[in-house]
Amino acid sequence: MPKIVPFKAVRPTRAIVGLVAARPYQSYTVDERESRMAYNPYSFLHIVNPGYKYDQEVTGEERYRLVKNRYLEFKEEGVFVQDEKPSFYVYKIVNRHGQEFSGIIAATSAEDYENDIIKKHEDTIAKREETFKSYLQTVGFNAEPVLLTYPDNAVIAHIIADTQNTRHAEFEFTMTYRDTHYLWKIDKKETIATIQKEFEKMGTIYIADGHHRSASSYLLFKDEKEKNTNHKGCESYNFFMSYLIPESDLVIHEFNRLIKDLNGLTKEEFLIKLDTFYRIENRGLMPYKPSKPHHFSMYLDGEFYSLYLRKTSYEFKTSLDKLDAQLLYKTILQPILGIDDLRDDSRISYVNGQHDMITIKSSVDSGKFKIGFGMCPSNVEQMKQIADDGLTMPPKSTYILPKLRSGITIYEY
């Protein structure tokens, strides 16, 4: 039974929260980062890139220490203020496409992660886990929640709706990406207890996005627990900040694939090898996007193709085998194009499914890539089944919404 607890969030003041909130650091181009930091002294980017103040790049432990210093400066200057009472936070995002996401920001249990009550569907890289664990230990806070999803629950849905409809939001602001954010605080003990009881009735909840952050938080928990001779289980390191949304709110897009070469094959040789697994139809100049699982689109040499799996050529033994990202890997990327490591091979790049097939076409026509593949998105049930079976998806199998911002609520260790 999942355990969630309220916490005293550190939050920007209402007047400047829209200036503080930021996308993940790596999602900005260099020019975008420079512009925001030059003209917005409140941006959370100043905290995660503390070397900007000294006009130099800093890395490792030195950077972590400076991140902590910048964070403490923001608190000292009154940019950040900590709530007086432990709370849950109802958080709503309305994006530029009109999609709405509503859920609860809470602290979730590292032991639940250890015991597979919080389930994962992606592999993580040990080096990245350790790096972020060290970061958390030094800076002492986490500013971006892990995205978790839970089965739709009428009681929790009523509390969220009632909170939104009967109270003024603590925050309401719109970002330059044209998504609008709202936050309400729940600090009544009775309401908190009701929410906790509803989550305790659930068998499991699932990581939708943030596998490395949750894994690193778990490593931090193990380290701190071992060092603390008076460990009680209620210390802040026992938990990590999460944004929990119902499964019906989760939006999953695919990641399409772009490949730089045909692995030494001519176009004709490649198509002959492809014919083993797929029925191939040339669609000419007309952009094609697949509408069914196990069908793919392909753009090669100025033309679109549709690929239909020959069912006799591929056996579905596990839930993972049915995933289109795995199917594409096992039938084309690995055996024909020679791509074994989807995470580190420089010959492959990914484009999230919010971009249409014209993006694939443009990337190939530019000469940077030789071939592109489009697929259908997976769904929540596939994601859950793979997690339940103890399997993991290939890298870049899902592009999941909502995408969260840093610096809106902060969890201190």
Side-chain angles (χ1 to χ4, degrees):
M1 54 181 188
K3 179 180 181 180
I4 69 169
V5 298
F7 68 101
K8 298 178 182 179
V10 176
R11 301 187 282 124
T13 59
R14 182 185 182 93
I16 59 174
V17 60
L19 296 173
V20 173
R23 304 198 315 269
Y25 184 78
Q26 297 299 333
S27 70
Y28 293 96
T29 66
V30 174
D31 288 343
E32 285 177 326
R33 287 198 298 262
E34 289 291 325
S35 175
R36 279 163 171 74
M37 297 180 73
Y39 297 104
N40 179 6
Y42 299 113
S43 174
F44 195 77
L45 295 175
H46 285 285
I47 292 176
V48 295
N49 183 18
Y52 179 84
K53 182 177 181 179
Y54 304 106
D55 194 28
Q56 69 176 46
E57 194 75 24
V58 289
T59 59
E61 285 295 328
E62 182 181 27
R63 173 177 169 259
Y64 303 164
R65 289 192 294 272
L66 289 176
V67 166
K68 183 174 184 177
N69 290 345
R70 293 294 86 73
Y71 173 66
L72 293 175
E73 287 172 8
F74 269 47
K75 290 184 72 174
E76 291 163 2
E77 293 167 1
V79 176
F80 287 136
V81 178
Q82 187 167 30
D83 286 328
E84 295 182 358
K85 297 171 64 176
S87 304
F88 288 144
Y89 301 88
V90 171
Y91 185 35
K92 176 181 176 181
I93 304 171
V94 183
N95 69 17
R96 67 170 76 184
H97 306 293
Q99 296 167 312
E100 294 189 9
F101 310 92
S102 290
I104 295 173
I105 295 176
T108 46
S109 169
E111 282 193 337
D112 284 351
Y113 179 89
E114 179 179 50
N115 296 327
D116 211 27
I117 294 172
I118 296 176
K119 292 196 172 186
K120 50 190 174 292
H121 65 268
E122 286 186 7
D123 276 333
T124 52
I125 301 171
K127 184 177 180 180
R128 286 183 61 189
E129 292 178 15
E130 287 289 342
T131 296
F132 193 60
K133 180 203 73 172
S134 298
Y135 172 86
L136 294 175
Q137 283 178 319
T138 301
V139 305
F141 69 87
N142 190 6
E144 185 182 342
V146 173
L147 181 63
L148 301 179
T149 189
Y150 60 88
D152 285 36
N153 180 287
V155 175
I156 296 173
H158 174 76
I159 292 173
I160 289 174
D162 185 63
T163 300
Q164 293 176 346
N165 294 333
T166 61
R167 297 169 57 184
H168 290 295
E170 299 281 325
F171 294 153
E172 180 181 344
F173 63 96
T174 301
M175 305 288 291
T176 54
Y177 251 45
R178 291 180 291 165
D179 51 356
T180 303
H181 299 251
Y182 307 82
L183 183 136
W184 295 262
K185 184 167 61 173
I186 294 178
D187 55 13
K188 288 186 178 179
K189 291 183 179 180
E190 298 83 359
T191 308
I192 288 172
T194 299
I195 293 171
Q196 289 176 314
K197 287 177 182 177
E198 291 303 312
F199 273 98
E200 288 172 0
K201 294 176 184 177
M202 302 174 191
T204 54
I205 54 180
Y206 296 81
I207 300 172
D209 197 11
H211 283 79
H212 280 92
R213 273 171 281 139
S214 49
S216 300
S217 297
Y218 169 64
L219 292 180
L220 175 69
F221 154 73
K222 289 206 303 182
D223 274 10
E224 297 302 316
K225 177 182 177 180
E226 186 175 329
K227 289 188 293 185
N228 187 358
T229 57
N230 195 32
H231 173 80
K232 296 179 180 178
C234 58
E235 297 86 354
S236 58
Y237 60 75
N238 289 274
F239 304 94
F240 57 94
M241 183 172 63
S242 298
Y243 179 40
L244 301 110
I245 67 171
E247 291 172 5
S248 59
D249 269 19
L250 206 64
V251 174
I252 302 179
H253 292 282
E254 72 280 12
F255 266 107
N256 296 318
R257 272 67 169 146
L258 287 162
I259 315 297
K260 291 184 177 180
D261 59 64
L262 294 181
N263 196 29
L265 301 172
T266 66
K267 173 185 173 181
E268 292 72 22
E269 289 170 338
F270 171 75
L271 290 174
I272 289 171
K273 287 182 177 291
L274 193 61
D275 192 80
T276 301
F277 292 102
Y278 294 92
R279 180 165 57 87
I280 306 167
E281 291 186 13
N282 189 320
R283 300 273 179 159
L285 300 178
M286 184 65 66
Y288 172 73
K289 182 176 174 62
S291 59
K292 295 181 180 179
H294 314 330
H295 294 180
F296 300 97
S297 61
M298 181 175 75
Y299 184 72
L300 172 64
D301 198 22
E303 295 179 306
F304 286 94
Y305 296 81
S306 56
L307 309 180
Y308 300 94
L309 179 69
R310 299 185 189 278
K311 296 181 181 179
T312 56
S313 67
Y314 186 84
E315 188 175 357
F316 298 111
K317 295 181 179 180
T318 69
S319 56
L320 180 60
D321 293 331
K322 298 175 183 178
L323 186 74
D324 278 357
Q326 178 75 355
L327 176 60
L328 186 70
Y329 173 64
K330 286 295 187 180
T331 59
I332 302 177
L333 301 184
Q334 186 184 49
I336 301 177
L337 295 178
I339 295 175
D340 291 314
D341 190 342
L342 293 172
R343 199 180 298 274
D344 292 326
D345 196 313
S346 61
R347 296 166 57 220
I348 185 169
S349 292
Y350 303 91
V351 180
N352 77 69
Q354 288 188 301
H355 298 278
D356 58 25
M357 291 306 299
I358 298 301
T359 303
I360 300 291
K361 179 182 186 300
S362 299
S363 298
V364 174
D365 288 347
S366 72
K368 186 177 179 181
F369 298 94
K370 181 67 176 178
I371 188 171
F373 297 95
M375 67 183 79
C376 289
S378 56
N379 56 51
V380 173
E381 290 306 317
Q382 280 183 297
M383 183 186 78
K384 290 171 57 180
Q385 189 62 59
I386 288 170
D388 289 344
D389 293 344
L391 303 170
T392 54
M393 293 181 175
K396 300 292 186 181
S397 292
T398 56
Y399 181 82
I400 295 179
L401 299 178
K403 292 300 180 188
L404 306 179
R405 298 296 185 266
S406 298
I408 297 175
T409 57
I410 296 173
Y411 182 82
E412 291 191 339
Y413 291 103

